[in-house]
Amino acid sequence: MSAPRHAPGHPFGEDRRRPLLVRVLLRPAIAVGLSLTDWDLLLRQARRANLAGRLAHEMAAGGWLDELPAPVQPHLRSALLLSRRQSQMLGREVELLAATLSELPGPMILLKGAAYALGGHAPAPGRMFSDIDLLIPPAQLPRCETALLVHGWAFDDELDAYDQRYYREWMHELPPLHHIRRGTSLDVHHTLLPPTARTPLDSQRLFDAPRPLPGRPGVFVLPPEDMLLHSAAHLFHEGELPNGLRDLFDLDALLREFGTLDGFWPRLTARARAIGLTRPLWLALRYTRAMLDTPYPDTLPDELGPPPGPLARRLLDACYRRALRPAHESCRLPGHALAELGLYVRSHWLRMPFGLLALHLGRKAWGRLTAPPPSPDTRTGAPDAKPPAQG
């Protein structure tokens, strides 16, 4: 099974209103002809989408950086320096984590941005991230937590007792941690979806065959199929929309990279069925092709089982067509806020049974109503920052 050279039509029609950022990242050479006004808009969209580093890398890799208008170049060079500095710091931080968790008998598996960067995968160049994600076998979670706390890691002070319980009983990760001296953020996962999720997930299969990272004893990454499936679940099950377009480009890059491996496509569909992630993969295939022209075998979605019904497809298309755009005013379509709300509710519906969901959303709504207004210096934050609880 091989991928076609050119992707066929979009499921909701040719989108001639693609944001400028998407058009440039798909065809970087057109950036050379942009005006200063266009570049002003492009840089704003890239920053809001957390894709400024990716844009800068594309310009440098294509040899166009020196040809761009002089006022534009410092912005892109700065983004390049920041992304490279992050990669350097990541390598050192992972070494320290590996030493901290060296007594654990199971693997320390890197996920998402850390795995892409240290594994040398296609999404890595120019990619920005704000935390490190690890996957640890569930049985080792208590020892892992103890080792981290002893070595200077701490849970966020903003988490109240309810948020602690939310993570420990209902989520697939420990509460977020940060290092008290280095300031690094860390998410420790024990599976890819919450235990309460409606999607049955064979979590133990995730530890079947992690791949060791050369030169980094005790550090592993997921095999290509699982890495892609996790990326799909992160975006299309967990509803991580603030970085939705960046994560969609991650999926596009992984599909293009892994699609060249012999036998990858049959292994991917078999693995999705074995673990229980056919629906997130179906959605990933649909929207990478619809929005980024991602090539893959035309029969691949049909091999994942029955698709959503016609009404569900129309609703999902309407929502994702709006939500997977840069979070900039120039990119908003009519109904954007309603689409984001719908996907927010959907992610929680997939995450919890109805009774627990109603209690959780009621508790969070009450907390927002009764919370004091934020101080001026906390109204804005890093573009990839997470709320105290994923709720």
Side-chain angles (χ1 to χ4, degrees):
M1 186 186 297
S2 59
R5 291 186 179 181
H6 302 288
H10 302 268
F12 37 72
E14 181 70 27
D15 186 0
R16 301 185 184 278
R17 294 188 295 170
R18 279 176 171 162
L20 177 61
L21 174 63
V22 174
R23 298 201 305 270
V24 169
L25 290 179
L26 291 181
R27 293 191 297 142
I30 68 175
V32 178
L34 296 180
S35 67
L36 274 177
T37 301
D38 292 333
W39 267 107
D40 178 70
L41 177 61
L42 178 59
L43 289 171
R44 292 173 188 272
Q45 290 183 1
R47 290 192 185 106
R48 295 301 297 271
N50 209 9
L51 283 166
R54 167 74 179 264
L55 176 63
H57 168 75
E58 293 290 352
M59 295 300 101
W64 300 300
L65 190 53
D66 293 334
E67 302 177 35
L68 301 178
V72 172
Q73 294 185 30
H75 295 276
L76 297 178
R77 296 186 193 280
S78 175
L80 276 178
L81 288 173
L82 178 59
S83 65
R84 289 168 182 167
R85 176 61 175 157
Q86 278 195 341
S87 294
Q88 293 169 356
M89 294 174 66
L90 170 67
R92 176 57 178 159
E93 196 65 51
V94 168
E95 288 180 7
L96 295 171
L97 280 168
T100 296
L101 303 179
S102 61
E103 298 300 318
L104 270 64
M108 183 186 89
I109 303 174
L110 298 178
L111 299 175
K112 293 172 54 185
Y116 306 153
L118 297 185
H121 293 291
R127 192 185 191 277
M128 305 288 193
F129 47 89
S130 67
D131 53 22
I132 297 173
D133 291 85
L134 301 181
L135 179 66
I136 299 292
Q140 298 173 26
L141 214 55
R143 290 181 63 184
C144 174
E145 180 177 347
T146 300
L148 290 171
L149 294 176
V150 167
H151 286 83
W153 293 89
F155 294 111
D156 290 349
D157 295 334
E158 298 176 1
L159 294 178
D160 60 18
Y162 176 82
D163 289 331
Q164 288 279 351
R165 182 187 176 201
Y166 173 81
Y167 275 100
R168 295 179 182 281
E169 293 187 14
W170 303 323
M171 290 298 290
H172 52 302
E173 57 186 325
L174 291 177
L177 294 123
H178 67 276
H179 198 276
I180 57 177
R181 291 189 302 276
R182 300 192 299 271
T184 313
S185 297
L186 178 67
D187 283 345
V188 179
H189 301 250
H190 54 87
T191 182
L192 300 187
L193 297 181
T196 57
R198 297 173 186 275
T199 301
L201 185 67
D202 188 350
S203 301
Q204 191 56 43
R205 298 293 297 271
L206 300 172
F207 302 95
D208 284 349
R211 295 183 300 136
L213 277 182
R216 298 186 181 276
V219 182
F220 296 77
V221 295
L222 295 172
E225 298 80 18
D226 290 6
M227 188 179 292
L228 196 148
L229 289 171
H230 175 229
S231 185
H234 178 72
L235 179 55
F236 291 106
H237 191 285
E238 292 301 283
E240 293 285 342
L241 294 177
N243 288 303
L245 182 61
R246 184 203 65 180
D247 293 345
L248 194 72
F249 270 103
D250 286 351
L251 281 163
D252 171 77
L254 292 174
L255 285 163
R256 292 175 188 270
E257 175 187 358
F258 297 151
T260 63
L261 302 176
D262 289 341
F264 172 73
W265 302 113
R267 290 198 305 272
L268 177 64
T269 54
R271 190 65 173 166
R273 289 192 292 268
I275 296 178
L277 292 174
T278 54
R279 181 53 53 85
L281 177 58
W282 188 92
L283 292 169
L285 295 172
R286 183 172 183 83
Y287 296 115
T288 51
R289 173 163 289 184
M291 306 184 80
L292 304 180
D293 302 328
T294 307
Y296 54 77
D298 294 343
T299 59
L300 198 62
D302 296 334
E303 297 171 15
L304 297 173
L311 178 58
R313 284 201 302 272
R314 286 196 292 271
L315 289 172
L316 289 168
D317 287 348
C319 290
Y320 280 117
R321 183 183 182 185
R322 288 160 173 80
L324 296 177
R325 296 169 70 90
H328 188 267
E329 193 61 34
S330 64
C331 304
R332 295 179 70 87
L333 298 175
H336 190 108
L338 185 60
E340 288 187 332
L341 175 62
L343 292 175
Y344 174 83
V345 173
R346 174 183 179 270
S347 70
H348 280 77
W349 176 258
L350 293 174
R351 192 179 296 173
M352 297 177 175
F354 178 76
L356 183 58
L357 174 61
L359 288 172
H360 175 68
L361 292 181
R363 170 64 173 76
K364 300 305 289 184
W366 177 252
R368 292 189 181 100
L369 287 173
T370 58
S375 59
D377 60 344
T378 61
R379 292 180 189 275
T380 59
D384 200 20
K386 291 186 177 182
Q390 301 301 302

